[in-house]
Amino acid sequence: MENRLSDLLKILQKQLAHYRQLSDLLRTEREAVAEAKLSVIQDCVFAKESAIDGIRQREHERLRILGELAFELKIPIKNLNLNQLVLEVQGRFPKLSEQLRSVQVALQLMVQKAHDQNLYNKGLLEKSLMHFHQMKRNVLGEAEEKSQTYSSTGQQRSPGQGARLLSKEG
């Protein structure tokens, strides 16, 4: 069991490293968006995909080891989470349980930080797109509908210049 707990700790530490990398990439992406550096943004997107793939792989490994530990502890896997695991093993492995708890707290903080950064970047991109579309409309002359009151020469159009009603009586 101690070996599995050590393996779980290593996996969680690797996951934490991936989240730190993701957080750094999100910061770089935010700066690139602010400076409109398209190639840097594209590089960040590819690097983020790689970091997320690493997180997913570690998550599969974590779930596998957690399943083995659940079997060994005779606890249903659906009832075993990291908090429960730490409580179960803290008497036998106090050092490992403390390390697991510490990594868990760090992971929770990094996940929240990455989530917040991603939301901020999303908002920044949405505002940038909105400004881009507004500039495009301004350049193309589509910002405002053309007034029907004045002609292109600036002369006031009279409302009666269109179709006229002619009377046959007179």
Side-chain angles (χ1 to χ4, degrees):
M1 177 178 290
E2 187 173 5
N3 288 339
R4 285 191 181 97
L5 290 171
S6 293
D7 291 345
L8 180 61
L9 180 62
K10 289 175 188 171
I11 289 168
L12 292 174
Q13 288 169 337
K14 288 178 184 177
Q15 226 176 5
L16 183 59
H18 286 298
Y19 275 107
R20 282 189 179 121
Q21 178 188 13
L22 182 60
S23 180
D24 291 342
L25 289 167
L26 287 166
R27 185 177 51 254
T28 303
E29 180 183 57
R30 180 182 64 238
E31 293 165 359
V33 168
E35 296 172 8
K37 294 182 177 178
L38 185 60
S39 63
V40 176
I41 295 170
Q42 289 173 334
D43 292 344
C44 284
V45 168
F46 294 133
K48 284 189 318 184
E49 288 175 0
S50 175
I52 291 170
D53 285 343
I55 290 169
R56 285 187 185 132
Q57 288 173 349
R58 296 307 155 279
E59 184 64 14
H60 288 300
E61 293 171 13
R62 184 189 71 81
L63 290 173
R64 180 185 55 79
I65 290 181
L66 205 56
E68 293 170 3
L69 287 166
F71 180 76
E72 197 169 326
L73 293 168
K74 296 176 178 54
I75 298 174
I77 184 72
K78 64 181 180 180
N79 296 338
L80 186 63
N81 58 34
L82 198 51
N83 285 330
Q84 181 68 27
L85 179 64
V86 167
L87 291 174
E88 290 288 330
V89 300
Q90 69 185 359
R92 291 185 282 174
F93 308 105
K95 183 179 177 185
L96 270 174
S97 64
E98 186 57 38
Q99 289 173 326
L100 286 169
R101 187 174 287 123
S102 154
V103 168
Q104 179 189 19
V105 169
L107 262 172
Q108 288 172 335
L109 291 173
M110 286 307 299
V111 167
Q112 186 61 48
K113 181 179 179 181
H115 179 263
D116 293 345
Q117 286 177 307
N118 198 43
L119 284 178
Y120 181 83
N121 287 1
K122 179 182 176 185
L124 187 61
L125 284 170
E126 287 172 352
K127 285 180 185 176
S128 296
L129 281 173
M130 186 177 70
H131 289 292
F132 172 78
H133 288 301
Q134 183 63 41
M135 286 174 43
K136 179 179 147 188
R137 283 192 297 272
N138 288 343
V139 167
L140 296 177
E142 300 173 1
E144 296 179 18
E145 299 228 0
K146 293 182 180 177
S147 172
Q148 298 299 322
T149 307
Y150 294 96
S151 69
S152 60
T153 61
Q155 300 297 318
Q156 187 173 12
R157 294 184 183 174
S158 64
Q161 275 187 339
R164 296 182 187 186
L165 181 60
L166 298 176
S167 171
K168 292 186 179 182
E169 290 181 24

